[in-house]
Amino acid sequence: MGAPFDERRAEHLSAQEGSVKHRKSMICLLGCLLVAWFSQNRLHAQNYRAQVIDESGPESLWGKSVGDLNGDGKIDLLAGGQRGGGLVWYENPSWTKRVIDGARKIGTDVEVSDIDRDGKVDVIAITGDGLIWYKNPDWKAHTIEKDTLHDIEIADFDGDGDMDIAGRNQGAFTPSGGETLFFYRQESPNSWTRRTLSIPDGEGLKVADIDRDRDPDVIVNGAWYENSGDIMGSWPRHSYGTAWTHPNTYIDVGDINGDGRPDIVLSPSELKGQSYRISWFEAPPRAKSGRWRESVIEADVEAVYHFVGVGDFNRDGALDVAAAEMQQGDDPDEVKIYINGGGGKRWTKQVIATAGSHSMRIADIDNDGYPDLFGANHQGHKVELWWNDNAPKKPSLTQPEKYTEVEGLGAAPSYHVMTTSERIVVDGRLSEKAWSRASPITLIFPWDFQQGKKQRTAVRLLSSTLSILLFEKATTGRVR
Protein backbone atom coordinates (compact mmCIF):
# COMPACT_ATOMS: atom_id res chain seq x y z
CA MET A 1 0.00 0.00 0.00
CA GLY A 2 1.01 3.65 -0.07
CA ALA A 3 1.59 6.36 -2.57
CA PRO A 4 3.53 5.64 -5.76
CA PHE A 5 6.13 8.40 -5.65
CA ASP A 6 9.90 8.32 -5.05
CA GLU A 7 11.72 9.79 -2.03
CA ARG A 8 13.36 12.59 -4.04
CA ARG A 9 9.94 13.89 -5.06
CA ALA A 10 8.62 13.35 -1.55
CA GLU A 11 11.41 15.48 -0.02
CA HIS A 12 10.59 18.32 -2.38
CA LEU A 13 6.92 18.17 -1.48
CA SER A 14 7.46 17.88 2.27
CA ALA A 15 8.85 21.40 2.47
CA GLN A 16 5.58 22.69 1.07
CA GLU A 17 3.04 20.45 2.73
CA GLY A 18 4.45 19.10 5.96
CA SER A 19 5.90 15.81 7.03
CA VAL A 20 5.88 13.10 4.38
CA LYS A 21 6.27 10.52 7.12
CA HIS A 22 3.15 11.80 8.80
CA ARG A 23 1.23 11.72 5.54
CA LYS A 24 2.41 8.20 4.78
CA SER A 25 1.23 7.08 8.21
CA MET A 26 -2.12 8.68 7.57
CA ILE A 27 -2.36 7.01 4.17
CA CYS A 28 -1.47 3.59 5.61
CA LEU A 29 -4.08 4.07 8.32
CA LEU A 30 -6.67 5.17 5.79
CA GLY A 31 -5.75 2.23 3.55
CA CYS A 32 -6.38 -0.18 6.40
CA LEU A 33 -9.71 1.47 7.13
CA LEU A 34 -10.68 1.34 3.47
CA VAL A 35 -9.79 -2.35 3.20
CA ALA A 36 -11.84 -3.09 6.31
CA TRP A 37 -14.74 -1.03 4.98
CA PHE A 38 -14.70 -2.78 1.63
CA SER A 39 -14.31 -6.21 3.24
CA GLN A 40 -17.53 -5.51 5.09
CA ASN A 41 -19.38 -3.95 2.18
CA ARG A 42 -18.44 -6.60 -0.38
CA LEU A 43 -21.11 -8.71 1.37
CA HIS A 44 -23.82 -6.21 0.50
CA ALA A 45 -26.47 -6.98 -2.10
CA GLN A 46 -25.19 -7.51 -5.61
CA ASN A 47 -27.02 -6.56 -8.79
CA TYR A 48 -28.59 -9.28 -10.94
CA ARG A 49 -30.84 -8.74 -13.93
CA ALA A 50 -33.26 -11.39 -15.18
CA GLN A 51 -33.81 -11.91 -18.90
CA VAL A 52 -36.17 -14.35 -20.59
CA ILE A 53 -34.26 -15.84 -23.51
CA ASP A 54 -37.24 -17.79 -24.86
CA GLU A 55 -40.84 -17.66 -23.63
CA SER A 56 -41.65 -20.74 -25.72
CA GLY A 57 -38.73 -23.08 -25.34
CA PRO A 58 -38.91 -26.87 -25.37
CA GLU A 59 -41.59 -28.35 -23.12
CA SER A 60 -40.47 -29.51 -19.65
CA LEU A 61 -36.93 -28.16 -19.71
CA TRP A 62 -35.04 -30.99 -18.06
CA GLY A 63 -31.74 -30.44 -19.85
CA LYS A 64 -29.63 -27.26 -19.71
CA SER A 65 -26.04 -26.61 -20.69
CA VAL A 66 -23.63 -23.97 -22.00
CA GLY A 67 -20.77 -23.91 -24.49
CA ASP A 68 -19.31 -22.11 -27.48
CA LEU A 69 -21.01 -24.11 -30.22
CA ASN A 70 -20.10 -21.90 -33.19
CA GLY A 71 -16.54 -21.09 -32.15
CA ASP A 72 -16.97 -17.31 -32.00
CA GLY A 73 -15.64 -16.97 -28.45
CA LYS A 74 -19.09 -16.41 -26.92
CA ILE A 75 -20.85 -18.86 -24.61
CA ASP A 76 -24.09 -20.15 -26.14
CA LEU A 77 -27.04 -21.70 -24.28
CA LEU A 78 -28.58 -25.16 -24.72
CA ALA A 79 -32.00 -26.35 -23.59
CA GLY A 80 -33.78 -29.68 -23.97
CA GLY A 81 -37.40 -30.67 -23.40
CA GLN A 82 -38.52 -33.97 -21.93
CA ARG A 83 -42.09 -33.63 -23.23
CA GLY A 84 -41.48 -31.95 -26.56
CA GLY A 85 -39.40 -29.51 -28.53
CA GLY A 86 -36.25 -31.62 -28.55
CA LEU A 87 -32.81 -30.12 -28.01
CA VAL A 88 -32.03 -26.55 -29.15
CA TRP A 89 -29.28 -23.99 -28.76
CA TYR A 90 -29.42 -20.20 -28.55
CA GLU A 91 -26.69 -18.23 -30.29
CA ASN A 92 -25.09 -15.54 -28.15
CA PRO A 93 -25.82 -12.60 -28.29
CA SER A 94 -28.85 -12.57 -30.65
CA TRP A 95 -30.32 -15.67 -28.94
CA THR A 96 -31.44 -17.03 -32.29
CA LYS A 97 -32.83 -20.51 -31.64
CA ARG A 98 -31.32 -23.38 -33.64
CA VAL A 99 -32.37 -27.04 -33.52
CA ILE A 100 -29.97 -29.86 -32.67
CA ASP A 101 -32.57 -32.64 -32.36
CA GLY A 102 -36.24 -31.83 -32.84
CA ALA A 103 -37.61 -35.29 -32.11
CA ARG A 104 -36.08 -36.97 -29.07
CA LYS A 105 -37.07 -36.49 -25.46
CA ILE A 106 -34.17 -34.88 -23.61
CA GLY A 107 -33.26 -35.96 -20.10
CA THR A 108 -31.77 -34.28 -17.06
CA ASP A 109 -28.20 -33.72 -18.23
CA VAL A 110 -26.58 -32.26 -21.34
CA GLU A 111 -22.84 -31.65 -21.67
CA VAL A 112 -20.54 -30.02 -24.22
CA SER A 113 -17.15 -31.46 -25.22
CA ASP A 114 -15.08 -32.18 -28.33
CA ILE A 115 -15.73 -35.92 -28.71
CA ASP A 116 -14.10 -36.48 -32.11
CA ARG A 117 -11.21 -34.02 -31.56
CA ASP A 118 -11.92 -31.97 -34.67
CA GLY A 119 -11.65 -28.65 -32.86
CA LYS A 120 -15.42 -28.13 -32.57
CA VAL A 121 -17.32 -28.91 -29.38
CA ASP A 122 -20.00 -31.56 -29.69
CA VAL A 123 -23.07 -32.14 -27.52
CA ILE A 124 -23.66 -35.18 -25.29
CA ALA A 125 -27.18 -35.70 -23.96
CA ILE A 126 -29.26 -38.10 -21.93
CA THR A 127 -32.31 -38.86 -24.09
CA GLY A 128 -35.31 -41.15 -24.16
CA ASP A 129 -33.29 -43.35 -26.52
CA GLY A 130 -30.23 -43.54 -24.29
CA LEU A 131 -26.94 -41.66 -24.13
CA ILE A 132 -26.23 -39.86 -27.42
CA TRP A 133 -23.56 -37.53 -28.76
CA TYR A 134 -24.32 -35.06 -31.55
CA LYS A 135 -21.56 -34.10 -33.96
CA ASN A 136 -21.06 -30.36 -34.50
CA PRO A 137 -22.08 -28.75 -36.87
CA ASP A 138 -24.49 -31.15 -38.68
CA TRP A 139 -25.70 -32.57 -35.34
CA LYS A 140 -25.78 -36.13 -36.54
CA ALA A 141 -26.74 -38.37 -33.61
CA HIS A 142 -24.45 -41.20 -32.46
CA THR A 143 -25.67 -43.61 -29.79
CA ILE A 144 -23.15 -44.40 -27.05
CA GLU A 145 -25.31 -46.71 -24.92
CA LYS A 146 -28.98 -47.24 -24.14
CA ASP A 147 -28.66 -47.02 -20.34
CA THR A 148 -31.15 -44.95 -18.34
CA LEU A 149 -29.22 -42.13 -16.68
CA HIS A 150 -29.81 -38.99 -14.64
CA ASP A 151 -26.31 -37.44 -14.45
CA ILE A 152 -23.28 -37.50 -16.74
CA GLU A 153 -19.76 -36.04 -16.58
CA ILE A 154 -17.21 -35.82 -19.41
CA ALA A 155 -13.47 -36.23 -18.79
CA ASP A 156 -10.37 -37.99 -20.07
CA PHE A 157 -10.24 -40.57 -17.29
CA ASP A 158 -7.42 -42.69 -18.72
CA GLY A 159 -5.19 -39.92 -20.05
CA ASP A 160 -5.21 -41.09 -23.67
CA GLY A 161 -6.28 -37.73 -25.07
CA ASP A 162 -9.92 -38.45 -25.86
CA MET A 163 -13.02 -37.84 -23.81
CA ASP A 164 -14.67 -40.57 -21.75
CA ILE A 165 -17.97 -40.41 -19.87
CA ALA A 166 -19.17 -41.22 -16.34
CA GLY A 167 -22.87 -41.49 -15.53
CA ARG A 168 -25.41 -42.65 -13.00
CA ASN A 169 -29.15 -42.85 -12.56
CA GLN A 170 -31.12 -41.56 -9.55
CA GLY A 171 -32.52 -43.62 -6.72
CA ALA A 172 -35.63 -41.66 -5.80
CA PHE A 173 -37.83 -42.32 -8.84
CA THR A 174 -36.45 -45.19 -10.91
CA PRO A 175 -36.67 -48.96 -10.35
CA SER A 176 -33.02 -49.43 -11.36
CA GLY A 177 -31.94 -47.01 -8.63
CA GLY A 178 -28.82 -44.91 -8.34
CA GLU A 179 -26.46 -47.52 -6.94
CA THR A 180 -24.48 -48.04 -10.15
CA LEU A 181 -21.74 -45.84 -11.60
CA PHE A 182 -21.33 -46.26 -15.36
CA PHE A 183 -18.13 -45.57 -17.28
CA TYR A 184 -17.98 -45.32 -21.05
CA ARG A 185 -14.41 -45.49 -22.31
CA GLN A 186 -13.97 -44.04 -25.76
CA GLU A 187 -12.18 -46.36 -28.15
CA SER A 188 -13.23 -44.13 -31.06
CA PRO A 189 -16.09 -41.66 -31.48
CA ASN A 190 -18.27 -44.55 -32.66
CA SER A 191 -17.00 -47.25 -30.30
CA TRP A 192 -17.30 -47.21 -26.51
CA THR A 193 -16.51 -49.79 -23.80
CA ARG A 194 -18.94 -49.88 -20.88
CA ARG A 195 -17.93 -50.62 -17.30
CA THR A 196 -19.97 -50.48 -14.05
CA LEU A 197 -19.09 -49.89 -10.41
CA SER A 198 -21.28 -50.24 -7.32
CA ILE A 199 -21.81 -47.03 -5.34
CA PRO A 200 -24.18 -45.89 -2.56
CA ASP A 201 -27.75 -45.53 -3.79
CA GLY A 202 -28.88 -41.95 -4.32
CA GLU A 203 -28.35 -39.08 -6.72
CA GLY A 204 -25.61 -36.65 -7.73
CA LEU A 205 -22.37 -36.85 -9.69
CA LYS A 206 -19.29 -34.65 -10.13
CA VAL A 207 -15.81 -35.09 -11.54
CA ALA A 208 -12.78 -33.25 -10.09
CA ASP A 209 -9.18 -33.93 -9.12
CA ILE A 210 -9.78 -34.45 -5.41
CA ASP A 211 -6.36 -35.87 -4.53
CA ARG A 212 -4.52 -33.37 -6.79
CA ASP A 213 -2.62 -36.03 -8.71
CA ARG A 214 -3.61 -34.56 -12.10
CA ASP A 215 -6.31 -37.02 -13.06
CA PRO A 216 -10.10 -36.71 -12.63
CA ASP A 217 -11.73 -38.48 -9.71
CA VAL A 218 -15.45 -39.13 -9.28
CA ILE A 219 -17.60 -37.72 -6.46
CA VAL A 220 -21.03 -39.05 -5.46
CA ASN A 221 -23.13 -38.69 -2.32
CA GLY A 222 -20.92 -39.46 0.68
CA ALA A 223 -17.90 -40.83 -1.17
CA TRP A 224 -15.30 -40.08 -3.81
CA TYR A 225 -13.60 -42.63 -6.02
CA GLU A 226 -9.91 -42.39 -6.74
CA ASN A 227 -8.81 -42.63 -10.35
CA SER A 228 -5.98 -45.13 -10.69
CA GLY A 229 -5.45 -44.24 -14.36
CA ASP A 230 -7.33 -47.19 -15.81
CA ILE A 231 -11.10 -46.97 -16.27
CA MET A 232 -11.32 -50.76 -16.23
CA GLY A 233 -9.08 -51.00 -13.17
CA SER A 234 -9.65 -50.26 -9.49
CA TRP A 235 -11.43 -47.16 -8.19
CA PRO A 236 -10.66 -47.04 -4.44
CA ARG A 237 -13.52 -45.59 -2.41
CA HIS A 238 -12.92 -42.80 0.13
CA SER A 239 -15.59 -41.41 2.43
CA TYR A 240 -16.24 -37.76 3.14
CA GLY A 241 -18.99 -36.17 5.21
CA THR A 242 -19.96 -39.21 7.24
CA ALA A 243 -22.58 -37.16 9.10
CA TRP A 244 -24.37 -36.41 5.82
CA THR A 245 -27.03 -39.12 5.38
CA HIS A 246 -29.36 -37.67 2.75
CA PRO A 247 -28.85 -39.84 -0.36
CA ASN A 248 -30.18 -37.52 -3.07
CA THR A 249 -27.77 -34.69 -3.72
CA TYR A 250 -26.53 -32.09 -6.15
CA ILE A 251 -22.74 -31.75 -6.04
CA ASP A 252 -20.12 -29.19 -6.92
CA VAL A 253 -16.43 -28.82 -6.10
CA GLY A 254 -14.28 -25.75 -5.45
CA ASP A 255 -11.72 -24.29 -3.07
CA ILE A 256 -14.10 -22.63 -0.61
CA ASN A 257 -11.58 -21.60 2.06
CA GLY A 258 -8.69 -20.66 -0.21
CA ASP A 259 -6.22 -23.26 1.04
CA GLY A 260 -5.54 -24.68 -2.43
CA ARG A 261 -7.48 -27.90 -1.87
CA PRO A 262 -10.77 -28.81 -3.64
CA ASP A 263 -13.70 -28.82 -1.22
CA ILE A 264 -17.08 -30.46 -1.84
CA VAL A 265 -20.46 -28.68 -1.74
CA LEU A 266 -23.76 -30.57 -1.36
CA SER A 267 -27.44 -29.69 -1.52
CA PRO A 268 -30.41 -32.04 -1.02
CA SER A 269 -31.98 -32.53 -4.47
CA GLU A 270 -35.01 -34.70 -3.64
CA LEU A 271 -37.81 -35.02 -2.34
CA LYS A 272 -40.61 -32.53 -1.85
CA GLY A 273 -41.70 -32.27 1.78
CA GLN A 274 -38.37 -33.46 3.17
CA SER A 275 -35.94 -31.12 4.93
CA TYR A 276 -32.16 -31.13 5.09
CA ARG A 277 -29.25 -28.68 4.82
CA ILE A 278 -26.78 -27.16 2.36
CA SER A 279 -23.15 -27.73 3.39
CA TRP A 280 -19.58 -27.69 2.27
CA PHE A 281 -16.93 -30.21 3.25
CA GLU A 282 -13.39 -29.03 3.84
CA ALA A 283 -10.74 -31.14 2.14
CA PRO A 284 -8.01 -32.25 4.55
CA PRO A 285 -4.31 -32.09 3.62
CA ARG A 286 -4.53 -35.79 2.84
CA ALA A 287 -7.75 -36.28 0.92
CA LYS A 288 -7.55 -40.06 1.03
CA SER A 289 -7.11 -40.52 4.76
CA GLY A 290 -7.83 -37.21 6.50
CA ARG A 291 -11.05 -36.10 8.12
CA TRP A 292 -13.42 -33.98 6.02
CA ARG A 293 -15.05 -31.34 8.19
CA GLU A 294 -18.60 -30.29 7.36
CA SER A 295 -19.60 -26.61 7.58
CA VAL A 296 -23.27 -25.71 7.17
CA ILE A 297 -24.20 -22.95 4.74
CA GLU A 298 -27.95 -23.06 5.42
CA ALA A 299 -29.24 -25.36 8.13
CA ASP A 300 -32.86 -26.03 7.19
CA VAL A 301 -34.07 -26.15 3.59
CA GLU A 302 -36.67 -28.18 1.77
CA ALA A 303 -34.98 -31.06 -0.04
CA VAL A 304 -35.70 -29.82 -3.56
CA TYR A 305 -32.43 -28.00 -4.33
CA HIS A 306 -31.69 -29.52 -7.72
CA PHE A 307 -28.77 -27.17 -8.21
CA VAL A 308 -25.78 -26.01 -6.24
CA GLY A 309 -22.67 -24.48 -7.77
CA VAL A 310 -19.58 -22.47 -6.91
CA GLY A 311 -18.31 -19.25 -8.47
CA ASP A 312 -16.76 -15.96 -7.42
CA PHE A 313 -19.84 -13.86 -8.07
CA ASN A 314 -18.57 -10.63 -6.52
CA ARG A 315 -14.96 -11.10 -7.66
CA ASP A 316 -13.43 -10.71 -4.23
CA GLY A 317 -11.23 -13.78 -4.57
CA ALA A 318 -13.44 -16.10 -2.50
CA LEU A 319 -15.74 -18.69 -4.06
CA ASP A 320 -19.42 -18.12 -3.38
CA VAL A 321 -22.21 -20.70 -3.63
CA ALA A 322 -25.33 -20.49 -5.80
CA ALA A 323 -28.38 -22.69 -5.26
CA ALA A 324 -31.85 -23.09 -6.71
CA GLU A 325 -35.03 -24.62 -5.38
CA MET A 326 -37.32 -26.50 -7.76
CA GLN A 327 -40.79 -25.12 -8.34
CA GLN A 328 -42.58 -28.05 -6.67
CA GLY A 329 -41.19 -26.87 -3.34
CA ASP A 330 -43.11 -24.72 -0.89
CA ASP A 331 -43.20 -21.10 -2.03
CA PRO A 332 -41.14 -19.03 -2.38
CA ASP A 333 -38.89 -21.14 -4.61
CA GLU A 334 -35.61 -19.34 -4.13
CA VAL A 335 -32.79 -18.88 -6.58
CA LYS A 336 -30.01 -17.44 -4.46
CA ILE A 337 -26.35 -16.78 -3.92
CA TYR A 338 -24.52 -17.26 -0.64
CA ILE A 339 -21.71 -14.71 -0.52
CA ASN A 340 -18.60 -16.13 1.12
CA GLY A 341 -17.52 -13.80 3.91
CA GLY A 342 -14.04 -15.35 3.98
CA GLY A 343 -12.80 -18.89 4.54
CA GLY A 344 -16.31 -20.29 4.21
CA LYS A 345 -17.02 -19.34 7.81
CA ARG A 346 -19.69 -16.72 7.23
CA TRP A 347 -22.33 -16.57 4.49
CA THR A 348 -24.69 -13.79 3.41
CA LYS A 349 -27.69 -15.00 1.45
CA GLN A 350 -29.03 -12.97 -1.46
CA VAL A 351 -32.22 -14.14 -3.19
CA ILE A 352 -32.28 -13.15 -6.86
CA ALA A 353 -35.54 -14.88 -7.86
CA THR A 354 -38.46 -16.62 -6.16
CA ALA A 355 -40.00 -18.69 -8.98
CA GLY A 356 -37.41 -21.48 -8.81
CA SER A 357 -35.04 -23.14 -11.26
CA HIS A 358 -33.42 -26.51 -11.93
CA SER A 359 -29.98 -27.84 -12.94
CA MET A 360 -28.64 -24.34 -13.56
CA ARG A 361 -25.31 -23.47 -15.17
CA ILE A 362 -22.73 -20.91 -14.06
CA ALA A 363 -20.90 -19.21 -16.93
CA ASP A 364 -19.58 -15.79 -17.91
CA ILE A 365 -22.02 -15.24 -20.77
CA ASP A 366 -20.97 -11.68 -21.63
CA ASN A 367 -17.22 -12.14 -21.01
CA ASP A 368 -17.04 -9.36 -18.43
CA GLY A 369 -15.26 -11.51 -15.85
CA TYR A 370 -18.34 -11.94 -13.65
CA PRO A 371 -20.20 -15.29 -13.67
CA ASP A 372 -23.85 -15.28 -14.73
CA LEU A 373 -26.57 -17.87 -14.08
CA PHE A 374 -28.55 -19.80 -16.70
CA GLY A 375 -31.50 -22.04 -15.96
CA ALA A 376 -35.13 -23.05 -16.35
CA ASN A 377 -37.80 -24.80 -14.34
CA HIS A 378 -38.04 -28.47 -15.29
CA GLN A 379 -41.84 -28.32 -15.52
CA GLY A 380 -41.96 -25.25 -17.77
CA HIS A 381 -40.80 -23.95 -21.14
CA LYS A 382 -39.36 -20.53 -20.27
CA VAL A 383 -35.60 -20.25 -20.77
CA GLU A 384 -34.06 -17.73 -18.36
CA LEU A 385 -30.75 -15.98 -17.77
CA TRP A 386 -29.64 -13.95 -14.77
CA TRP A 387 -26.99 -11.40 -15.66
CA ASN A 388 -24.41 -10.57 -13.03
CA ASP A 389 -24.43 -6.77 -13.41
CA ASN A 390 -21.63 -6.09 -10.93
CA ALA A 391 -18.79 -5.55 -13.38
CA PRO A 392 -17.34 -2.02 -13.35
CA LYS A 393 -19.03 0.25 -15.87
CA LYS A 394 -17.29 2.74 -18.11
CA PRO A 395 -17.76 6.16 -16.47
CA SER A 396 -19.72 8.95 -18.04
CA LEU A 397 -17.44 11.69 -19.41
CA THR A 398 -20.04 14.32 -20.18
CA GLN A 399 -19.03 16.93 -17.61
CA PRO A 400 -17.69 20.16 -19.21
CA GLU A 401 -14.22 19.74 -17.73
CA LYS A 402 -10.75 19.87 -19.22
CA TYR A 403 -9.21 16.46 -19.96
CA THR A 404 -5.63 15.61 -20.73
CA GLU A 405 -4.09 12.39 -22.00
CA VAL A 406 -1.27 10.99 -19.89
CA GLU A 407 1.20 8.48 -21.23
CA GLY A 408 0.39 5.15 -19.60
CA LEU A 409 2.29 2.16 -18.35
CA GLY A 410 1.12 -0.58 -20.72
CA ALA A 411 -1.92 -2.77 -20.32
CA ALA A 412 -2.73 -1.90 -16.69
CA PRO A 413 -6.28 -0.70 -15.94
CA SER A 414 -7.01 3.00 -16.45
CA TYR A 415 -8.31 5.22 -13.68
CA HIS A 416 -9.95 8.64 -13.82
CA VAL A 417 -8.59 10.92 -11.12
CA MET A 418 -9.95 14.34 -10.23
CA THR A 419 -7.52 17.17 -9.55
CA THR A 420 -8.24 20.83 -8.98
CA SER A 421 -8.02 21.87 -12.63
CA GLU A 422 -8.24 18.85 -14.88
CA ARG A 423 -9.05 15.17 -15.10
CA ILE A 424 -6.08 12.89 -15.69
CA VAL A 425 -6.12 9.37 -17.14
CA VAL A 426 -3.57 7.22 -15.34
CA ASP A 427 -2.70 3.60 -16.07
CA GLY A 428 -2.51 1.78 -12.76
CA ARG A 429 -0.34 4.39 -10.99
CA LEU A 430 0.90 7.94 -11.54
CA SER A 431 3.46 8.38 -14.29
CA GLU A 432 6.07 11.14 -14.03
CA LYS A 433 4.09 13.23 -16.51
CA ALA A 434 0.92 12.81 -14.50
CA TRP A 435 2.79 13.59 -11.29
CA SER A 436 4.10 16.86 -12.65
CA ARG A 437 0.63 17.94 -13.73
CA ALA A 438 -1.21 16.95 -10.57
CA SER A 439 -1.87 19.84 -8.24
CA PRO A 440 -2.54 19.40 -5.41
CA ILE A 441 -0.95 15.99 -4.92
CA THR A 442 -3.13 13.06 -5.97
CA LEU A 443 -2.13 9.67 -4.58
CA ILE A 444 -3.54 6.52 -6.18
CA PHE A 445 -4.18 3.19 -4.52
CA PRO A 446 -3.48 0.96 -7.53
CA TRP A 447 -4.88 -2.30 -6.19
CA ASP A 448 -8.38 -3.39 -7.15
CA PHE A 449 -9.77 -4.40 -3.79
CA GLN A 450 -13.40 -3.68 -4.57
CA GLN A 451 -14.05 -5.41 -7.86
CA GLY A 452 -17.69 -5.52 -8.77
CA LYS A 453 -18.51 -2.05 -7.49
CA LYS A 454 -18.81 1.02 -9.65
CA GLN A 455 -16.71 3.14 -7.35
CA ARG A 456 -12.99 3.18 -6.65
CA THR A 457 -11.14 5.21 -4.05
CA ALA A 458 -8.22 7.64 -4.23
CA VAL A 459 -6.75 9.92 -1.59
CA ARG A 460 -5.95 13.59 -2.17
CA LEU A 461 -3.64 15.53 0.12
CA LEU A 462 -4.60 19.18 0.60
CA SER A 463 -1.89 20.48 2.93
CA SER A 464 -2.62 18.65 6.18
CA THR A 465 -6.16 17.66 5.15
CA LEU A 466 -7.04 14.21 3.87
CA SER A 467 -10.10 13.91 1.67
CA ILE A 468 -11.46 10.87 -0.12
CA LEU A 469 -12.43 11.16 -3.76
CA LEU A 470 -14.65 8.49 -5.32
CA PHE A 471 -14.13 7.70 -8.96
CA GLU A 472 -14.90 4.96 -11.43
CA LYS A 473 -12.64 2.55 -13.24
CA ALA A 474 -12.55 2.91 -16.99
CA THR A 475 -12.79 -0.46 -18.71
CA THR A 476 -11.65 0.50 -22.19
CA GLY A 477 -9.62 3.11 -24.01
CA ARG A 478 -8.25 6.48 -23.03
CA VAL A 479 -9.74 9.88 -22.58
CA ARG A 480 -8.64 13.03 -24.36
Side-chain angles (χ1 to χ4, degrees):
M1 296 183 184
F5 54 85
D6 59 32
E7 291 301 325
R8 176 176 53 83
R9 179 80 55 183
E11 290 172 4
H12 173 72
L13 294 169
S14 62
Q16 301 176 15
E17 304 193 28
S19 170
V20 172
K21 182 176 180 181
H22 176 67
R23 272 180 267 161
K24 284 185 175 181
S25 299
M26 295 178 71
I27 292 167
C28 290
L29 175 60
L30 179 60
C32 293
L33 292 173
L34 289 171
V35 170
W37 184 86
F38 280 122
S39 296
Q40 176 66 29
N41 283 271
R42 70 183 180 182
L43 304 179
H44 287 183
Q46 305 291 297
N47 298 316
Y48 296 89
R49 171 173 49 90
Q51 179 181 354
V52 176
I53 300 299
D54 188 359
E55 284 277 8
S56 302
E59 187 65 31
S60 294
L61 286 160
W62 284 21
K64 279 82 65 178
S65 194
V66 293
D68 182 9
L69 296 191
N70 58 355
D72 64 354
K74 301 180 179 67
I75 302 297
D76 307 303
L77 310 178
L78 296 90
Q82 198 273 337
R83 294 184 179 178
L87 178 62
V88 301
W89 69 281
Y90 300 90
E91 184 178 354
N92 183 356
S94 67
W95 308 124
T96 301
K97 180 162 59 177
R98 307 185 190 281
V99 177
I100 296 175
D101 184 339
R104 287 182 176 85
K105 296 179 179 179
I106 305 302
T108 48
D109 207 344
V110 178
E111 299 296 334
V112 172
S113 184
D114 185 3
I115 295 297
D116 55 3
R117 293 193 286 179
D118 65 351
K120 297 184 287 291
V121 293
D122 308 298
V123 175
I124 307 94
I126 297 171
T127 77
D129 296 330
L131 183 61
I132 289 177
W133 77 272
Y134 297 91
K135 179 176 173 56
N136 187 353
D138 60 12
W139 304 125
K140 181 180 178 180
H142 302 264
T143 298
I144 297 170
E145 190 58 70
K146 292 188 177 294
D147 293 315
T148 300
L149 301 171
H150 182 271
D151 304 295
I152 55 173
E153 290 284 305
I154 317 297
D156 181 8
F157 290 106
D158 52 8
D160 64 354
D162 56 27
M163 292 295 108
D164 311 299
I165 302 172
R168 75 178 296 190
N169 203 357
Q170 62 179 166
F173 298 107
T174 57
S176 59
E179 70 277 2
T180 303
L181 178 63
F182 297 87
F183 287 102
Y184 307 95
R185 185 179 70 187
Q186 183 182 166
E187 312 299 342
S188 74
N190 294 312
S191 176
W192 302 77
T193 299
R194 178 179 180 271
R195 184 258 167 98
T196 61
L197 184 70
S198 295
I199 58 175
D201 193 16
E203 179 176 317
L205 180 67
K206 189 68 179 179
V207 165
D209 185 9
I210 295 297
D211 54 3
R212 296 181 291 166
D213 63 351
R214 300 184 180 181
D215 57 23
D217 307 303
V218 176
I219 305 99
V220 299
N221 46 299
W224 69 275
Y225 291 83
E226 179 187 350
N227 187 348
S228 61
D230 180 5
I231 294 176
M232 300 299 164
S234 64
W235 286 82
R237 180 183 187 273
H238 305 280
S239 296
Y240 71 88
T242 55
W244 181 286
T245 59
H246 196 83
N248 305 308
T249 61
Y250 205 99
I251 306 170
D252 206 3
V253 173
D255 183 8
I256 298 296
N257 58 353
D259 63 358
R261 299 189 289 269
D263 307 306
I264 298 173
V265 183
L266 296 183
S267 69
S269 58
E270 314 285 356
L271 292 161
K272 176 179 169 57
Q274 298 177 358
S275 296
Y276 213 66
R277 59 186 180 267
I278 298 174
S279 293
W280 71 278
F281 298 82
E282 181 180 351
R286 297 180 180 178
K288 301 176 187 180
S289 58
R291 176 179 175 269
W292 291 71
R293 185 181 68 178
E294 179 181 359
S295 295
V296 176
I297 298 174
E298 186 165 0
D300 186 13
V301 298
E302 189 173 1
V304 287
Y305 278 82
H306 207 283
F307 167 70
V308 70
V310 300
D312 187 2
F313 288 92
N314 61 354
R315 291 294 304 276
D316 66 349
L319 286 180
D320 311 304
V321 173
E325 188 177 358
M326 293 187 287
Q327 64 192 114
Q328 67 261 39
D330 294 338
D331 292 337
D333 302 320
E334 294 180 341
V335 178
K336 54 194 170 185
I337 296 171
Y338 302 95
I339 300 298
N340 186 347
K345 297 178 181 179
R346 182 164 59 99
W347 301 89
T348 301
K349 181 174 76 172
Q350 180 177 352
V351 177
I352 65 173
T354 56
S357 197
H358 166 273
S359 294
M360 301 183 79
R361 296 300 175 115
I362 300 172
D364 184 8
I365 303 299
D366 52 2
N367 290 325
D368 66 351
Y370 286 71
D372 309 298
L373 279 167
F374 165 60
N377 278 306
H378 71 93
Q379 295 177 352
H381 49 75
K382 184 165 65 173
V383 180
E384 298 179 280
L385 181 63
W386 283 269
W387 295 100
N388 185 340
D389 278 347
N390 295 292
K393 303 298 189 296
K394 184 177 180 179
S396 172
L397 302 175
T398 57
Q399 299 100 322
E401 296 177 289
K402 178 182 176 182
Y403 299 98
T404 182
E405 182 176 346
V406 176
E407 196 65 27
L409 301 173
S414 295
Y415 293 82
H416 293 278
V417 183
M418 286 297 298
T419 69
T420 55
S421 60
E422 59 189 357
R423 181 171 293 209
I424 300 177
V425 180
V426 182
D427 283 334
R429 60 184 177 85
L430 284 178
S431 66
E432 283 295 316
K433 187 175 180 181
W435 183 266
S436 65
R437 287 182 178 270
S439 176
I441 309 165
T442 305
L443 306 177
I444 311 302
F445 290 109
W447 61 90
D448 202 11
F449 56 83
Q450 180 60 5
Q451 293 192 30
K453 295 293 185 183
K454 293 182 179 180
Q455 291 182 323
R456 299 292 187 269
T457 305
V459 173
R460 185 166 73 175
L461 294 178
L462 302 174
S463 299
S464 61
T465 303
L466 274 172
S467 63
I468 299 175
L469 300 177
L470 296 178
F471 63 99
E472 292 185 331
K473 175 181 173 184
T475 56
T476 58
R478 295 173 182 265
V479 180
R480 287 176 174 83

